[in-house]
Each structure stands twice: as C-alpha cells, then as structure tokens.
Amino acid sequence: KAGVTQTPRYLIKTRGQQVTLSCSPISGHRSVSWYQQTPGQGLQFLFEYFSETQRNKGNFPGRFSGRQFSNSRSEMNVSTLELGDSALYLCASSLELGGGYEQYFGPGTRLTVT
Amino acid sequence: AQSVTQPDIHITVSEGASLELRCNYSYGATPYLFWYVQSPGQGLQLLLKYFSGDTLVQGIKGFEAEFKRSQSSFNLRKPSVHWSDAAEYFCAVGRLTGGGNKLTFGTGTQLKVEL
C-alpha cells in the first residue's frame, strides 16, 4: 500500500503571499492531521479532519486553514505568509476503524518564506 | 493538558552498545503512547505504539518500549545500536478528544552513533 504523499515537497514563497499544500492519505484512512515542525517550537498540531469535518484545531491563527475532500485527500492553506511560517509541514493519516489510531506521516512539505 | 518530556536533547552511543531514550508524559487518563523516528529531511516513521495490555511493546528495527504507569514513563530501548539508527527520536502521547485524534510530541532526542 502506498504511504502518505505530500505535494509539493519544497516551496519558496514571499511574505504576504498565500500557499496551498496537499496531502493524500493512505488508502482507506479517514483521518488526516497536519503538523508544523520548526527548530524553535518543535512539532505542533495544526488541525485534524475526519469525513470532511474539522474535529480538532491547534493554537494557530486564522491564517491557517484546511479542508478535506470526499476521497479523504486534504489541503491546508496559509494566507498572508510571514517569515515565521517557514517550517516543515507534515501530514499524517490514520485508519481509526477497529482502533487504528496510530498516525502515519508523509515526507512533509518544506516551506521557506522570504 | 497533555504534555511529553524528553529530558535528553542529545545522546551519543557507540555502535553495538545498548540504548535507552527517556520519555515522561502527563495525561489525565490512560494514554496512547508512540515513538517515532525522523531522519534528516524526512517525515516521521512510527517505531512502536502502546494502547493497552502488555506494558512491554515491540516495534520495528529491534526497538522496544516499556509503559510504566507509576512513573508516567514510556522509555525506548534497543539492546545493540547500529550506525543506521542515528536520527532524531520523538515520543508522543495521543488523545482522542471529542472523537478527534491529536498527538502531542516531546522535543525530541538526537541520537549520534559512534563507529
């Protein structure tokens, strides 16, 4: 089975622009979560989607948003980019059926804001 | 609120030596606990998980971890380290809130293996 895929892998944007990152979960997985990883703050939870509904949201400003489609694929969007948004953005999926709550991560999207 | 502490930021071991990475958690109920490994420029790979039952869990790559409720710990061990184990290791506690699935991570332990 293919793992979690994320596109693009690398992205360079300018302050003030917006960006959309994409995540395709493992086939059959219904939950998709997003995390931000930075050297200073470590791994921080952004939000989680299940059956196209946001179930959880972390402590990030409203500039960070996401959605999930009917095929479980997910996108996250960051508007009005700031230098501090430079990070590795990781997507993870979990099955949840039958107690499969462990999350499997994709390779991440490295976002650089200049 | 749940939290995870990994007291060791960096650890250096010789190849073939045993390894123990420490993890302490704070959580109000029985937690779901995980260890992940991250190589440079890569995502996180799940090493092992604890949901319930046997407190000693086996994972991939020869790793194991022991859940000790009395000490709020979930330490990762490997009897003999290989040079390819050099990476960053993250302990995480999972919580299902309102039906949602969220992980809280520790700050990570960077493992260096000396040949």
Side-chain angles (χ1 to χ4, degrees):
Chain A
K1 220 178 227 186
V4 177
T5 58
Q6 293 187 243
T7 56
R9 292 291 311 277
Y10 302 91
L11 207 48
I12 300 175
K13 290 287 189 179
T14 304
R15 270 182 302 174
Q17 289 185 314
Q18 74 164 11
V19 66
T20 299
L21 312 181
S22 182
C23 171
S24 292
I26 293 171
S27 178
H29 283 198
R30 301 166 69 188
S31 168
V32 174
S33 300
W34 289 89
Y35 296 84
Q36 181 196 65
Q37 185 178 26
T38 60
Q41 300 298 317
L43 282 153
Q44 293 187 285
F45 172 77
L46 279 158
F47 27 64
E48 184 229 355
Y49 289 87
F50 182 85
S51 293
E52 303 179 66
T53 300
Q54 187 181 88
R55 288 199 301 193
N56 266 310
K57 190 178 192 312
N59 294 323
F60 280 82
R63 301 185 296 106
F64 292 81
S65 63
R67 58 177 175 169
Q68 186 181 35
F69 302 96
S70 58
N71 61 359
S72 292
R73 190 178 69 85
S74 177
E75 290 180 347
M76 67 163 282
N77 183 277
V78 188
S79 62
T80 320
L81 284 166
E82 301 178 358
L83 294 179
D85 297 333
S86 294
L88 181 66
Y89 289 89
L90 293 162
C91 168
S93 72
S94 62
L95 177 63
E96 299 224 350
L97 290 175
Y101 299 113
E102 63 270 26
Q103 296 187 19
Y104 295 91
F105 283 79
T109 295
R110 171 73 63 184
L111 172 65
T112 302
V113 182
T114 62
Chain B
Q2 61 205 61
S3 65
V4 178
T5 302
Q6 293 181 250
D8 304 306
I9 298 174
H10 298 279
I11 282 186
T12 300
V13 300
S14 299
E15 190 176 36
S18 63
L19 172 70
E20 182 168 25
L21 303 182
R22 295 183 291 166
C23 172
N24 293 96
Y25 67 89
S26 173
Y27 186 64
T30 301
Y32 298 157
L33 294 163
F34 307 89
W35 275 98
Y36 286 88
V37 61
Q38 186 178 36
S39 297
Q42 302 298 313
L44 301 174
Q45 182 181 22
L46 178 65
L47 285 175
L48 46 77
K49 62 188 179 187
Y50 173 78
F51 286 168
S52 64
D54 193 348
T55 57
L56 183 64
V57 294
Q58 303 296 322
I60 62 171
K61 303 185 178 185
F63 286 93
E64 66 177 27
E66 186 171 11
F67 171 61
K68 293 185 178 180
R69 184 187 302 276
S70 62
Q71 298 177 19
S72 297
S73 69
F74 189 57
N75 294 349
L76 181 71
R77 301 193 294 248
K78 187 170 184 177
S80 177
V81 170
H82 188 261
W83 64 266
S84 60
D85 293 325
E88 190 157 21
Y89 291 79
F90 292 93
C91 180
V93 59
R95 181 183 180 196
L96 298 180
T97 57
N101 188 353
K102 169 186 174 180
L103 292 178
T104 298
F105 287 89
T107 50
T109 297
Q110 187 71 50
L111 174 65
K112 179 180 176 182
V113 180
E114 290 183 332
L115 300 176

